[in-house]
Amino acid sequence: MKVTGKSGKKYETLEAAITGPELSKDFVPIADEEVTKEEQKESFLKVTDKSFERFCRPYYTAGFNAYELVEAAMVSRRAETVGDRSGAQIVDDTLRSAAARGINTVRMWAHTTTALYPFQVAPGKYDERGLKSLDFVLETARKYGLQVILSFIDNWKYYNGVDQYVDWSSTAPNRTLASPFKDLVGDPTAAIYGTGPAGEELKRYETERHALFFSDPDAKKFYKNHVAFLVNRNNSINGRVYRDDPTIIAWNLINEPRCESWLASNKDCNKRFQNWLAEMSTHVRSLDPNHLITIGSEGFYGDSTPQLMQYNPQAWARELGQDFVMNTNLPNIDFATVHAWPDNWMLPQDKIPAFLDKWVQSHMTAGANLSSGSKPIMFEEFGKKLNADQQTEWMIQQLRDPIYQSTYASVEKAIDGKQPIAGSLFWKLAIPVFDGQDARGPYGVDDSDSTMAVIQDHSEFMKRKMNSVPPRPECNLGAWFGTLDQASGERNCANVPAAATAYFAKAPAKADDIGSKLADDLKAGKALVFPTKAACCKPGTGAFPEGCTTPPAKKLRRSA
């Protein structure tokens, strides 16, 4: 097919328009903010007292999933894109808009999901277009003050996923049946496998082969090498090594793992998966001591906690290899993840809100009572499915908005109650790249949907909650407040460490002390405080929607 953008340049195929991040001539990477040793040390996310902590104060995630960000960044502006923009510009606009709404976290894949957007093209061999696009997304997230969770591998999609790793392996049996689901997006159905004896044979064959990923020597070696490559990658745009980049807050070991024990040959799947988690989490920790590690699973309960299996969506959930409590108890798993897909799990519509509340509450209780110590829970994926004929303003308001409202209400209630919850990420943000494309699909939320107002309200709640607490004084960080010069309109930030001292003081300070006044305002919800000037000045996520005003003498000079 011919692909022609408004620039007039033609490509014979869409594949030829996948160029990697196409940066405008005036693109300038943001300069590294000046940080103290204390700020650098405290910039990485930690788990402290059953909750997230960053910059010596609580941290809550309010964000979204967008696994295809790397793919979007690879597209040339000459490929009939929305607004005749490059994919890189679309990513930039998307993340800027998210930050302006108070969103602070994005979860995505550290790979692509189709050969059209090449990433790892063979074991240990990478396409620079894909790598530079991942570099660009991370740098753009840093630019707007967004944090990133990266998943090393996906269970569902074939390309760069579990099944391709097994097919790459020389220690796994050679394929005797062709894969029927190279573009799978969820649990395979009877329609994919086919019916009758042939369909049943294919289902058993693929289920057994898929489970090899967790024990096959070559597959494990390829995974470890992929981890080492990414953790040690030097970002081509900002020069940061990934393991040293606090823009990344956590690694997912695998998105929604499956090792299905209903098949007799897979009866050891729970043990096999547990051993894999222990080995791979230890491997990641040995390479990267800075970032948190989590699984990326739905959180199904298993045989180690029969009393909790009542909270699973259906009886089949115990046969997928996951065991929430046993898996999360591993020493190098820092926090737990929970996903909720009641539509996919075939739950009655009127039962969904109650199920979601119990699903979250049961995991928080389980996470707080682990034998290895309390660990926070991240509600990492949730959403509401709408068919194509339901993507109307009225139907979105009636069907999707209430699910988001009830989910966020549960999260906010848990945070107010000081329960071990880290926050939530909705699935997923729709990112239109090509003209005429409806990027929403069954779960995507478009920027124009009414659901976005629900998301923004929740994000603002989380922003106020997090920024109402200054860093603890003993950490030697700042307490930065937005300042606005009414005469000139200049927006800036001022450091008032006395506010942090007064906030945590056991005895009240002088009534006329500026630190005490600001501390009182924080406790009353009348002010926001930030741990660094850079954080305070970030557009959207900082003190001002537009960010701080840049003094004329310090403006970045654009390249020609």
Side-chain angles (χ1 to χ4, degrees):
M1 85 181 183
K2 298 283 186 181
V3 180
T4 311
K6 293 183 177 63
S7 62
K9 182 170 181 178
K10 294 183 178 180
Y11 290 102
E12 293 297 322
T13 63
L14 179 57
E15 288 86 345
I18 305 305
T19 60
E22 195 172 71
L23 307 181
S24 60
K25 64 180 181 180
D26 62 347
F27 173 80
V28 178
I30 62 169
D32 273 331
E33 295 93 356
E34 293 183 8
V35 297
T36 66
K37 290 182 179 179
E38 289 81 6
E39 289 174 347
Q40 177 65 21
K41 174 185 175 184
E42 300 298 339
S43 61
F44 292 97
L45 193 66
K46 301 175 182 177
V47 172
T48 304
D49 189 27
K50 69 184 181 184
S51 63
F52 280 175
E53 183 176 281
R54 188 167 183 255
F55 291 118
C56 292
R57 63 180 193 158
Y59 182 89
Y60 304 108
T61 59
F64 62 90
N65 286 269
Y67 69 86
E68 65 272 66
L69 276 170
V70 174
E71 297 171 8
M74 297 173 71
V75 178
S76 168
R77 63 169 49 87
R78 302 183 182 96
E80 298 288 359
T81 56
V82 175
D84 201 32
R85 296 170 295 167
S86 69
Q89 185 60 58
I90 291 171
V91 168
D92 187 283
D93 291 344
T94 297
L95 297 187
R96 183 181 66 251
S97 176
R101 294 184 182 277
I103 289 171
N104 63 19
T105 305
V106 54
R107 175 175 176 254
M108 53 183 277
W109 299 174
H111 57 85
T112 57
T113 60
T114 169
L116 176 62
Y117 303 95
F119 198 84
Q120 187 175 192
V121 297
K125 296 182 179 180
Y126 295 84
D127 190 297
E128 276 297 310
R129 291 172 293 176
L131 292 173
K132 288 181 178 179
S133 294
L134 178 57
D135 294 342
F136 174 80
V137 176
L138 288 174
E139 169 64 7
T140 306
R142 181 173 81 100
K143 175 181 175 181
Y144 294 116
L146 296 170
Q147 309 306 130
V148 178
I149 298 172
L150 290 175
S151 179
F152 286 120
I153 194 169
D154 180 36
N155 177 78
W156 302 120
K157 291 283 192 174
Y158 179 84
Y159 186 77
N160 284 191
V162 165
D163 292 304
Q164 185 171 58
Y165 275 54
V166 175
D167 283 353
W168 276 339
S169 171
S170 63
T171 55
N174 291 329
R175 263 196 178 275
T176 58
L177 296 174
S179 173
F181 43 66
K182 289 193 174 183
D183 288 318
L184 191 68
V185 295
D187 288 298
T189 63
I192 292 174
Y193 288 126
T195 58
E200 185 62 27
E201 178 189 3
L202 181 58
K203 178 180 179 180
R204 290 177 174 274
Y205 176 80
E206 292 297 341
T207 301
E208 181 176 4
R209 186 170 180 82
H210 188 88
L212 290 175
F213 174 79
F214 300 102
S215 57
D216 176 71
D218 265 6
K220 292 200 296 182
K221 179 181 70 174
F222 297 154
Y223 178 89
K224 285 184 174 180
N225 290 345
H226 178 60
V227 167
F229 180 84
L230 288 176
V231 165
N232 292 300
R233 175 165 176 78
N234 191 303
N235 190 305
S236 61
I237 296 176
N238 60 35
R240 293 187 174 196
V241 178
Y242 281 20
R243 68 171 180 271
D244 299 326
D245 188 354
T247 304
I248 302 168
I249 56 173
W251 299 106
N252 272 177
L253 294 178
I254 179 172
N255 177 56
E256 298 192 339
R258 291 289 186 274
C259 188
E260 301 182 43
S261 59
W262 59 265
L263 190 65
S265 57
N266 288 352
K267 62 183 180 180
D268 67 334
C269 253
N270 285 54
K271 180 179 179 181
R272 198 188 309 183
F273 179 54
Q274 180 75 357
N275 290 341
W276 185 90
L277 285 176
E279 181 178 353
M280 298 311 168
S281 60
T282 300
H283 176 64
V284 177
R285 179 72 77 223
S286 70
L287 296 171
D288 181 359
N290 294 323
H291 293 107
L292 298 185
I293 302 168
T294 190
I295 299 169
S297 59
E298 293 96 328
F300 298 128
Y301 297 111
D303 292 341
S304 74
T305 52
Q307 75 279 10
L308 296 179
M309 286 196 284
Q310 63 177 306
Y311 298 109
N312 280 340
Q314 301 284 354
W316 46 257
R318 62 173 292 195
E319 297 180 328
L320 300 181
Q322 298 179 28
D323 188 318
F324 176 78
V325 171
M326 184 171 70
N327 299 159
T328 309
N329 255 326
L330 287 168
N332 287 316
I333 299 300
D334 297 305
F335 66 95
T337 58
V338 177
H339 299 182
W341 295 107
D343 290 304
N344 292 359
W345 298 339
M346 306 302 290
L347 298 181
Q349 293 298 309
D350 61 337
K351 304 292 185 183
I352 289 178
F355 166 79
L356 289 174
D357 187 59
K358 290 180 180 179
W359 186 240
V360 174
Q361 290 294 329
S362 70
H363 283 87
M364 287 191 296
T365 301
N369 293 284
L370 294 168
S371 60
S372 59
S374 177
K375 297 181 181 181
I377 310 299
M378 181 182 290
F379 202 13
E380 196 179 55
E381 289 186 19
F382 78 93
K384 173 60 185 167
K385 183 178 182 179
L386 296 179
N387 298 324
D389 60 352
Q390 296 175 315
Q391 300 281 4
T392 66
E393 181 179 356
W394 187 84
M395 293 292 274
I396 289 171
Q397 291 174 350
Q398 297 299 311
L399 298 178
R400 177 171 286 155
D401 290 1
I403 296 298
Y404 275 66
Q405 289 164 343
S406 63
T407 300
Y408 286 147
S410 294
V411 172
E412 292 171 11
K413 178 182 176 182
I415 289 173
D416 282 338
K418 300 188 183 305
Q419 293 181 275
I421 193 162
S424 63
L425 308 172
F426 70 88
W427 185 282
K428 68 182 184 67
L429 184 66
I431 305 175
V433 175
F434 301 104
D435 283 335
Q437 174 192 24
D438 184 353
R440 283 183 292 199
Y443 284 98
V445 177
D446 188 77
D447 197 58
S448 63
D449 292 344
S450 58
T451 313
M452 195 57 73
V454 180
I455 293 166
Q456 183 165 346
D457 285 346
H458 173 69
S459 299
E460 289 298 331
F461 170 89
M462 301 291 262
K463 179 180 177 179
R464 289 192 303 272
K465 201 73 178 177
M466 184 167 64
N467 294 312
S468 65
V469 181
R472 296 188 304 278
E474 64 267 24
C475 294
N476 295 316
L477 298 171
W480 292 83
F481 295 82
T483 62
L484 177 64
D485 188 310
Q486 296 293 342
S488 68
E490 182 177 333
R491 304 179 302 273
N492 211 329
C493 288
N495 189 15
V496 189
T501 303
Y503 186 95
F504 292 101
K506 295 181 179 179
K510 296 179 181 179
D512 61 349
D513 176 70
I514 183 62
S516 296
K517 289 182 178 179
L518 287 172
D520 288 343
D521 285 348
L522 289 172
K523 292 175 181 179
K526 298 178 180 179
L528 299 179
V529 63
F530 301 88
T532 67
K533 184 173 183 179
C536 186
C537 282
K538 291 289 185 185
T541 56
F544 306 102
E546 311 89 347
C548 290
T549 306
T550 304
K554 295 184 179 180
K555 282 187 177 179
L556 288 174
R557 187 162 55 89
R558 300 296 186 183
S559 60

